[in-house]
Amino acid sequence: MPFPSAPKDRDRPWVMRTYAGHSSPVESNALYRRNLEKGQTGLSVAFDLPTQTGYDPDDELAVGEVGKVGVPVSHIGDMRALFDGIPLDQMNTSMTINATAMWLLALYQAVAEEHGHDVAALTGTTQNDIVKEYLSRGTYVFPPAPSMRLITDMVAYTVTTMPKWNPVNICSYHLQEAGATPVQEIAYAMSTAIAVLDSVRDSGQVPEERFGEVVARISFFVNAGVRFVEEMCKMRAFGQLWDELTAERYGVTDAKQRRFRYGVQVNSLGLTEAQPENNVQRIVLEMLAVTLSKDARARAVQLPAWNEALGLPRPWDQQWSLRLQQVLAFETDLLEYEDLFTGSVVVEAKVAELVEGARAEIARVQEMGGAVAAVETGYMKGELVGSLADRRRRMESGDDVVVGVNRFTSTEPNPLTADLDTAIQTVDPAVEASAQRALEQWKADRDDDRARATLQALREAAGTDTNLMAATLDCARAGVTTGEWAGVLREVFGEYRAPTGVSAASTGEADVSLTDVRERVRATGEELGGRLRFLVGKPGLDGHSNGAEQIAVRARDAGFEVVYQGIRLTPAQIVSAAVEEDVHVVGLSVLSGSHLQVVPAVLAGLREAGLDDVPVVVGGIVPDADARVLREQGVARVFTPKDFGMTDIMGQIVDVVREANELSVS
């Protein structure tokens, strides 16, 4: 099937994408085809959490997660189905993949080879920024050092074999979602870039005279929030610092190779569940921040859908986001003028302020030993958790206005959400079982001896300093699975649990409402014979821990003894922690859509352990219908993004504890 060709200049001001993938490779392929037919000019592949964290669909940790937040890709057969009929040599494909980026790139290359494409002509991006995974998104697998080795090997490989491919997409997007101020977003992204470039340079895999080619293939993926002027100035500051860094630290003399190349996903964190129709104007303003300034214009733009705070967007919702870009690009006169902000005193002053602040923070990180060291010590994570706590406090106090949430909350009935059960797309629960059966069949049909041999070769190569891309490609062609590839590297490299940053953060000075809750926590603890203990758990593979961390921080400030062990726990591990710590309440945070699987598993485990009297509360993106189901199964409270007042949440949790222990509730 032919797709629209890629026009030039005004007809293609930037690559237009929607971030998409769900259920299965076949269904995602159909979605991609429809989006391309509607005028989308690139693909942005969302992988499900098992794929992102190196598990097959039949793994215990994958329960409830298969096909939920992206497409499951377990082997080369899945990759074939995902891109069936799509000309990869004409695509600019972005893959949001990090810990398993080498594996997915190998699968992509192997399928392109099967199609007869020239691998050297393939264009696209693997996100492959593991530092921000430790700080914000949580899909890391291995410790920082071997993770950096995988990135280094990919950079060295692509420079010579896939010279049009961006092997690393330094990703400040998730840093902003984790709380980063503009200065922190710039500084930590630049610190990550320094860590990657230093690692590639020091590995000796790329000749010194070709290092400019390495710099030229480093791209960035940023977040554009609703503070339009500040966000636009942030992008100009980014470009200035990148040019300065690559010239001074790495001696790159070609200005084209030093160009700051970035794509953008406008801010999903700022989208609201309350009055979600307001999200449309937020998205448009955020898009303007990265397109209106010609000198700092994004090379690729992808927009969230208006209803992402409610659940998985439908194809129609994604089409709406694509049309927003197309109206801006083709109907307005945006592209007809030189940069509109050159010479602006206000803009120049703001850019200078951001550059100065970022330079200072970059220097601070470098003094610690660089980005990897600042991850291992927990410094950057603690700074982000603290910044997000400040942001939430400003929203709760009303200092930061969020229309429809903390001001202007009266509203007419919304026809877009009149039927909430159809306002989002749901994934058929049968998808997981189908993927498991398909995996079993795949293993039965492949040449198992060949698969085992390539895995052994990978294991041996991982124990040396050999570039791992060749061994990984052999595994891909032999039908090895995602879980098998990652499993071998887990054996060699080990696994890692990053610092949570909770111990370093505080919600600040207590207001009257927090003081009142503290007194209730203290008094309830005395009535029960000790300090109230609150277990905050992240079941499954959902690594978006920002909400859980903020709950943990606020609970500690409210007087609870908080037990928080970080992300990626099985229901059994959460139950075991509840028993060992003798907790009074369990809070589960789930944002990946697996709540109907993992929450009942925790409830059942608590009952089996004799903790029927320990109440469970749940927070996350939970549709109303699902919330009703969870309450019927025994969950005491369900909190969603519209419940933005964390001190109020703490008060309700005290109520839950008192109700469970048959104490009076005022």
Side-chain angles (χ1 to χ4, degrees):
M1 179 185 298
F3 297 107
S5 59
K8 297 179 181 179
D9 301 323
R10 180 184 173 90
D11 288 336
R12 192 188 183 191
W14 51 80
V15 178
M16 296 186 183
R17 298 184 175 121
T18 54
Y19 180 51
H22 67 88
S23 299
S24 71
V26 171
E27 290 196 44
S28 297
N29 173 264
L31 175 61
Y32 297 161
R33 286 166 171 261
R34 290 197 300 270
N35 287 344
L36 290 168
E37 290 165 7
K38 293 170 183 173
Q40 187 171 297
T41 56
L43 295 176
S44 181
V45 182
F47 296 100
D48 73 353
L49 288 174
T51 304
Q52 292 185 52
T53 51
Y55 293 102
D56 287 333
D58 58 356
D59 193 278
E60 178 186 9
L61 273 168
V63 172
E65 307 282 14
V66 178
K68 285 286 174 64
V69 300
V71 57
V73 175
S74 300
H75 45 70
I76 193 172
D78 286 342
M79 191 65 93
R80 289 171 186 148
L82 184 63
F83 292 107
D84 181 43
I86 296 176
L88 299 186
D89 57 344
Q90 298 175 32
M91 287 294 105
N92 188 310
T93 303
S94 170
M95 294 193 283
T96 301
I97 198 73
N98 295 281
T100 56
M102 179 180 285
W103 175 243
L104 271 299
L105 180 61
L107 292 176
Y108 190 85
Q109 176 180 330
V111 169
E113 290 170 341
E114 292 178 348
H115 290 180
H117 299 322
D118 179 4
V119 171
L122 295 177
T123 60
T125 302
T126 34
Q127 192 170 98
N128 206 18
D129 173 3
I130 205 65
V131 171
K132 70 93 175 46
E133 295 300 318
Y134 299 125
L135 298 177
S136 58
R137 195 165 166 269
T139 67
Y140 58 83
V141 176
F142 314 112
S147 293
M148 193 60 69
R149 177 214 175 153
L150 292 174
I151 294 171
T152 300
D153 286 355
M154 282 183 66
V155 173
Y157 175 81
T158 55
V159 164
T160 55
T161 307
M162 302 174 70
K164 294 185 178 181
W165 193 269
N166 301 320
V168 178
N169 199 216
I170 305 298
C171 193
S172 74
Y173 173 87
H174 303 93
L175 300 180
Q176 186 180 123
E177 289 209 331
T181 64
V183 163
Q184 289 171 329
E185 186 179 343
I186 297 168
Y188 297 163
M190 287 295 170
S191 297
T192 299
I194 291 170
V196 170
L197 290 173
D198 282 2
S199 180
V200 174
R201 180 194 60 196
D202 297 345
S203 75
Q205 295 190 61
V206 179
E208 183 178 349
E209 64 272 15
R210 297 194 65 180
F211 201 75
E213 297 173 46
V214 173
V215 170
R217 298 323 307 166
I218 303 296
S219 62
F220 289 76
F221 184 64
V222 305
N223 200 330
V226 78
R227 291 175 56 82
F228 170 82
V229 175
E230 187 172 62
E231 292 296 300
M232 186 269 294
C233 291
K234 179 186 75 181
M235 298 321 307
R236 296 170 83 92
F238 251 130
Q240 180 179 328
L241 281 168
W242 181 245
D243 185 74
E244 176 185 297
L245 172 71
T246 53
E248 295 179 3
R249 188 181 183 96
Y250 301 108
V252 179
T253 57
D254 186 338
K256 186 177 180 181
Q257 291 179 330
R258 298 199 310 268
R259 182 183 302 158
F260 183 75
R261 299 178 309 116
Y262 81 98
V264 64
Q265 159 89 23
V266 308
N267 187 16
S268 296
L269 179 70
L271 304 184
T272 62
E273 180 184 9
Q275 297 183 23
E277 64 275 11
N278 295 334
N279 294 332
V280 178
Q281 51 265 37
R282 292 183 179 112
I283 291 167
V284 171
L285 285 168
E286 291 164 352
M287 175 173 52
L288 281 171
V290 293
T291 55
L292 193 53
S293 172
K294 183 179 180 181
D295 292 347
R297 184 169 294 153
R299 295 169 66 93
V301 179
Q302 60 189 46
L303 304 182
W306 69 277
N307 57 348
E308 285 199 14
L310 305 176
L312 185 66
R314 301 157 299 186
W316 185 87
D317 307 311
Q318 294 185 342
Q319 174 183 294
W320 192 356
S321 291
L322 176 62
R323 296 294 185 247
L324 294 178
Q325 292 196 59
Q326 290 168 331
V327 168
L328 180 68
F330 302 125
E331 293 190 26
T332 76
D333 60 352
L334 170 69
L335 304 181
E336 296 174 10
Y337 300 95
E338 294 305 309
D339 195 281
L340 304 179
F341 302 97
T342 300
S344 165
V345 175
V346 172
V347 169
E348 289 179 357
K350 186 63 178 178
V351 171
E353 175 191 327
L354 293 173
V355 166
E356 182 181 0
R359 280 196 190 119
E361 187 63 13
I362 291 168
R364 190 171 295 114
V365 171
Q366 292 308 303
E367 288 170 5
M368 295 177 182
V372 170
V375 165
E376 293 172 333
T377 62
Y379 168 74
M380 287 198 292
K381 181 65 172 178
E383 291 294 295
L384 294 177
V385 172
S387 293
L388 186 54
D390 289 341
R391 183 194 297 170
R392 291 202 63 91
R393 186 172 62 252
R394 292 193 304 272
M395 186 177 74
E396 291 179 55
S397 68
D399 290 342
D400 286 355
V401 174
V402 182
V403 174
V405 175
N406 63 0
R407 194 183 295 184
F408 313 116
T409 54
S410 62
T411 182
E412 297 296 326
N414 184 347
L416 292 173
T417 58
D419 183 358
L420 273 176
D421 292 341
T422 62
I424 57 173
Q425 180 162 313
T426 57
V427 175
D428 188 341
V431 162
E432 189 165 304
S434 176
Q436 292 169 349
R437 290 193 299 271
L439 177 68
E440 184 179 3
Q441 188 63 51
W442 175 265
K443 289 183 176 180
D445 292 343
R446 72 182 179 184
D447 182 340
D448 220 33
D449 289 339
R450 182 186 176 196
R452 282 201 205 93
T454 59
L455 284 169
Q456 180 58 31
L458 174 68
R459 182 180 288 105
E460 292 170 0
T464 70
D465 60 0
T466 301
N467 189 303
L468 293 180
M469 196 66 201
T472 296
L473 277 163
D474 288 342
C475 287
R477 295 168 182 141
V480 164
T481 71
T482 298
E484 290 172 333
W485 178 86
V488 163
L489 295 186
R490 280 185 170 94
E491 292 173 14
V492 179
F493 297 154
E495 291 196 73
Y496 185 71
R497 186 166 292 278
T500 67
V502 169
S503 60
S506 170
T507 55
E509 187 175 343
D511 58 15
V512 173
S513 60
L514 183 56
T515 300
D516 290 344
V517 171
R518 281 179 179 169
E519 176 56 28
R520 295 188 63 215
V521 169
R522 184 201 61 76
T524 303
E526 285 189 359
E527 290 180 68
L528 295 177
R531 190 178 175 191
L532 290 189
R533 289 177 297 283
F534 180 14
L535 171 62
V536 178
K538 287 286 295 177
L541 297 176
D542 169 29
H544 285 85
S545 58
N546 301 332
E549 288 155 1
Q550 292 305 310
I551 287 290
V553 170
R554 186 63 58 88
R556 188 193 61 204
D557 285 359
F560 285 95
E561 180 181 333
V562 176
V563 180
Y564 177 57
Q565 299 172 330
I567 63 171
R568 212 175 302 163
L569 300 171
T570 65
Q573 288 172 322
I574 291 172
V575 170
S576 176
V579 172
E580 291 175 9
E581 301 290 344
D582 191 23
V583 299
H584 295 94
V585 60
V586 173
L588 303 177
S589 170
V590 187
L591 286 87
S592 63
S594 64
H595 44 267
L596 291 182
Q597 287 79 29
V598 294
V599 174
V602 173
L603 291 171
L606 290 172
R607 285 194 295 270
E608 291 173 8
L611 298 182
D612 308 62
D613 57 341
V614 174
V616 174
V617 299
V618 174
I621 299 176
V622 182
D624 285 349
D626 291 356
R628 289 193 295 272
V629 171
L630 293 177
R631 285 191 292 266
E632 289 168 0
Q633 293 179 343
V635 171
R637 298 283 194 282
V638 178
F639 302 104
T640 68
K642 67 177 179 292
D643 302 301
F644 71 93
M646 287 201 169
T647 300
D648 178 64
I649 290 173
M650 292 303 113
Q652 292 192 53
I653 291 174
V654 177
D655 291 343
V656 164
V657 173
R658 295 186 69 85
E659 290 166 1
N661 289 276
E662 299 182 344
L663 302 176
S664 62
V665 178
S666 56

